[in-house]
Amino acid sequence: MLAFFCMGFVDMVGIATNYVKVDFSLNDTLANLFPSLVFFWFFIFAVPTGMLMNRIGRRKTVVLSLVVTLLSLVLPLLGYSFALMMVSFSLLGIGNTLMQVSVNPLLSNIVQGDRLASSLTFGQFVKAIASFVAPILATWAAASLGDWKWIYPLFVAVTVLSVLWLAFTPIVEEKVENVCATSGLRQSLSLLGKLFILLSFLGIMCHVGIDVGLNVTAPKILQERLGMTLADAGFATSVYFLFRTMGCFSGTFILSRFSAAKFFVVSVACMLLGILGLMTGHSLALLYGAIALIGFGNSNIFPVILSRAMLYAPEKKNEISGLMIMGLIGGTVFPFFMGLLSDGMNTQLGAVFVIAVGVIYLAVFSYLMNRNR
């Protein structure tokens, strides 16, 4: 669970991008390259990480991911430049890729069967706590300490603790039989030939695209429509993650008692209402309400899709986990097009349109999931 907390550090990319944009005088298209850069590495390293797990084990892979994350957090403390932040964000993406691919199957060594979805949701709840506090800490550090980057020493300390704790924690893992025959890149990618796995992969892309996209765009919407400063508008990101955290916490209990497919429908309905609010809202209360609905609705999409995919072919958990995490490339694709469209339209409404595409796909996916239960 502490590793899940460290996983949440990647979500500071939203508020960090807004500060980096101001510090280096960037436009939306260039600024959005930072979150795109973070999630680009999920596409490159996700499947190879699944193969790596088969060879060195899940626990060691998680420890490695924490070490890479630690390096990414140390760099901004050594210097602050455009190039160095690009490297830091890249390492953060690589470390998070290793972590997200390996920590979910590692959890399946402890919790199995139908309870896996609720346990993964609890992990996402712990992750969401880090996601929630990051923008608050960044805003506080900027206002009280004069520099938002003071959040990095705190995250470094937590990551060091997680590395040491997990490194000395014994966990019995299931053995992978005939590694050479089951873990090749071609064999892993061939799983996308199964329709449900492919649709799940696209669902993860949309989930993460919505997550990262709103994380980055919410403060900009408040600045554009209400004339707020970045310091004040940055709280919108915390509103999103507060309700995402609440959604993960409640989902832990709901998913242990009720159908995941039906709860998925309720979650998507919340996001659809939220999108309508973002398109039409011009008051702080309405915009916060829309952001909260999307945060709550998007909170349980990932664990439901991931658990369904892993249970679809349980003998391929490592490979499927790698494929699903590769879907986090949505965090690269969505911000890129959001930046282009918002610059082209000269309004953040363009970014909202891109987010809406992801929500509509999840609505279609929820229908297919319920039809094929």
Side-chain angles (χ1 to χ4, degrees):
M1 288 303 112
L2 187 57
F4 271 101
F5 185 83
C6 292
M7 187 194 298
F9 295 165
V10 75
D11 289 321
M12 75 175 179
V13 67
I15 192 65
T17 296
N18 283 278
Y19 280 107
V20 169
K21 177 186 176 183
V22 173
D23 292 343
F24 298 111
S25 302
L26 308 176
N27 61 24
D28 279 331
T29 301
L30 193 55
N32 281 10
L33 285 178
F34 279 94
S36 294
L37 187 63
V38 169
F39 290 92
F40 167 76
W41 299 107
F42 285 91
F43 185 76
I44 301 298
F45 284 106
V47 172
T49 299
M51 298 159 57
L52 177 66
M53 276 195 297
N54 284 339
R55 288 169 168 77
I56 70 172
R58 296 165 182 171
R59 183 179 63 88
K60 290 182 180 178
T61 306
V62 176
V63 171
L64 176 62
S65 73
L66 290 166
V67 171
V68 176
T69 299
L70 180 61
L71 292 175
S72 76
L73 298 173
V74 169
L75 282 181
L77 301 177
L78 302 179
Y80 187 53
S81 66
F82 183 85
L84 201 59
M85 290 305 293
M86 293 280 279
V87 175
S88 173
F89 276 47
S90 294
L91 287 174
L92 183 63
I94 294 170
N96 212 261
T97 304
L98 294 167
M99 197 180 310
Q100 296 224 35
V101 173
S102 53
V103 76
N104 293 301
L106 183 62
L107 182 60
S108 72
N109 285 119
I110 304 170
V111 181
Q112 300 173 352
D114 293 336
R115 295 184 60 193
L116 181 58
S118 63
S119 299
L120 288 172
T121 298
F122 184 72
Q124 292 298 309
F125 163 68
V126 175
K127 172 181 178 289
I129 295 174
S131 304
F132 168 63
V133 301
I136 294 178
L137 290 174
T139 301
W140 172 81
S144 302
L145 304 178
D147 194 340
W148 69 274
K149 296 189 297 298
W150 280 107
I151 61 174
Y152 281 101
L154 176 61
F155 287 172
V156 165
V158 175
T159 306
V160 169
L161 174 62
S162 185
V163 169
L164 295 176
W165 199 341
L166 187 58
F168 292 99
T169 300
I171 297 177
V172 178
E173 301 180 32
E174 58 199 42
K175 293 183 179 180
V176 178
E177 302 294 338
N178 198 5
V179 170
C180 294
T182 62
S183 64
L185 182 61
R186 181 184 298 179
Q187 288 86 347
S188 296
L189 292 176
S190 68
L191 291 171
L192 290 174
K194 299 180 183 296
L195 181 60
F196 184 76
I197 299 298
L198 176 61
L199 294 176
S200 298
F201 171 80
L202 295 175
I204 294 291
M205 279 190 66
C206 292
H207 157 72
V208 179
I210 295 165
D211 194 57
V212 178
L214 190 62
N215 190 359
V216 173
T217 304
K220 298 177 186 177
I221 293 175
L222 297 188
Q223 288 177 285
E224 177 182 275
R225 298 187 191 175
L226 304 178
M228 298 175 68
T229 64
L230 176 56
D232 293 330
F235 186 67
T237 304
S238 291
V239 170
Y240 172 77
F241 283 114
L242 170 62
F243 281 85
R244 195 173 186 277
T245 303
M246 292 170 58
C248 288
F249 183 73
S250 60
T252 302
F253 303 101
I254 294 172
L255 287 170
S256 65
R257 292 172 172 81
F258 300 100
S259 165
K262 290 182 179 179
F263 187 54
F264 195 93
V265 173
V266 175
S267 298
V268 173
C270 289
M271 286 193 282
L272 287 171
L273 290 174
I275 285 294
L276 289 175
L278 286 184
M279 289 181 174
T280 60
H282 284 82
S283 70
L284 184 61
L286 184 55
L287 290 173
Y288 273 169
I291 292 167
L293 279 170
I294 298 175
F296 185 85
N298 206 29
S299 59
N300 296 289
I301 299 298
F302 179 84
V304 171
I305 295 178
L306 179 60
S307 62
R308 281 298 189 92
M310 288 199 297
L311 293 174
Y312 180 81
E315 74 284 356
K316 298 285 186 180
K317 282 182 182 177
N318 288 356
E319 291 83 353
I320 288 177
S321 179
L323 284 175
M324 294 302 106
I325 300 305
M326 189 171 73
L328 270 65
I329 188 65
T332 293
V333 176
F334 274 65
F336 175 74
F337 286 106
M338 289 166 62
L340 288 178
L341 201 56
S342 60
D343 280 339
M345 297 177 63
N346 198 30
T347 172
Q348 294 302 317
L349 191 59
V352 176
F353 286 151
V354 177
I355 295 175
V357 172
V359 176
I360 291 171
Y361 174 82
L362 290 176
V364 174
F365 183 76
S366 67
Y367 168 76
L368 297 174
M369 184 186 299
N370 276 279
R371 192 183 68 175
N372 296 313
R373 272 190 306 136

